Amino acid sequence: MCPALVSSNSACVTSPAFAAVRMKAMMAADPRRPRPAHTMRAVSGPLTGKVALVTGATRGAGRGTAVALGEAGATVYCTGRTTRQRRSEYDRPETIEETAELVDAAGGEGIAVEVDHLQAAQVEALVKRIDVEQGRLDVLVNDIWGGEKLAEWNTPLWEHDLDRGLRMLRLAIDTHIITSHFALALLIRRPGGLVVEMTDGTLEYNAEHYRLSTFYDLAKTSVLRLAFAQGNELAQHDCTAVALTPGWLRSEMMLDIYGVTEATWADAVGGNPHFTAISESPRFVGRAVAALAADPQVHRRNGGSFSSGDLAREYGFTDIDGSQPDCWRYMVEVQDAGLPPDATGYR
């Protein structure tokens, strides 16, 4: 299915010749602009015809979400700072182009765009591009984090490096605000739009637990509040915002730490044995996003906080291994209770 180009006054332009001329002009204006991956879509799904923007899609939950949306047939703009030409300060091999290709392979349309979401002009240009190319935005996933190399675990505020802590907050909070500032005006043009604020921990869990450091704690709880606040502002437009947390995520970085791959994660030795008991792939939380986006009654969840495990039980989706890990209940009832690792009844 070829998405129609839609002008700013919402008049639909479906002529292939017009679309080709317009795309040629855009490419001439910016030769670095990545070309859309498809002109035709081979399969359809519950999100066919829908347009999503997944920020922080280079790896982890962002990549898993982009691919899961592709499984459901969506067109997915995948943003990040690491491309095949250059890496971010993470200095890792994953790229946004790879993510877009995985979206394609899953049945959607992946479009990789290099964006630093702390740079307002870059974000504004991204949203304008989506408007020109698609004329709509149905799903916004604010997944940017970028704080792994900045966090100082279990370090009190007065000992934590101040510059690193403040940088963490900028990456974890400011990027989400900047992106929503520009993207929501496009999202609210149509009723039913969805904003997903990706975080770590549910509202209930984070309200009762100190999360590793003052800076980390503030970063993750602030994103919960961002979902609540945006939900209030979006309600009058019949759009929805929610906070969503994965469980113990088998991200690329976590797999490297344990010396395993997605195919061999159950063989991990050393470290925390609860990892092998209850961890989940990034696709699991991505399928939670896809289920929310396909739910015609999603507005009943507006402003709420949810986990991948909670939503799996409600919507019936599974992780790529067919399980439904319920990490946050496991954390409270097993890990935090000091019990030995045992996922029986939790996945």
Side-chain angles (χ1 to χ4, degrees), residues 3-35:
L5 291 173
V6 182
S7 69
S8 58
N9 64 4
S10 297
C12 188
V13 182
T14 57
S15 162
F18 180 90
V21 170
R22 191 167 191 175
M23 182 57 69
K24 183 177 180 180
M26 289 190 296
M27 291 297 297
D30 184 1
R32 298 171 300 171
R33 178 186 298 276
R35 295 177 184 271

Side-chain angles (χ1 to χ4, degrees), residues 34-38 75-79 96 100-101 103-104 109-113 129 133-134:
R35 295 177 184 271
H38 293 296
T75 295
V76 187
Y77 285 78
C78 310
T79 70
I96 53 173
E101 289 164 2
V103 174
D104 295 346
E109 179 178 353
I111 303 171
V113 188
R129 173 182 172 179
E133 294 179 356
Q134 312 294 340

Side-chain angles (χ1 to χ4, degrees), residues 46-47 50 69 138-139 192 194 196 288-296 298 315:
L47 298 181
K50 301 291 187 180
L69 290 169
D138 302 285
V139 182
L194 174 67
V196 177
V289 175
L292 290 167
D295 182 359
V298 70
Y315 288 111

Side-chain angles (χ1 to χ4, degrees), residues 204-225:
E204 180 181 18
Y205 188 89
N206 287 359
E208 298 177 355
H209 294 80
Y210 165 72
R211 301 307 312 279
L212 303 170
S213 78
T214 295
F215 290 107
Y216 187 88
D217 193 298
L218 180 58
K220 297 307 182 181
T221 56
S222 294
V223 173
L224 290 163
R225 192 67 187 182

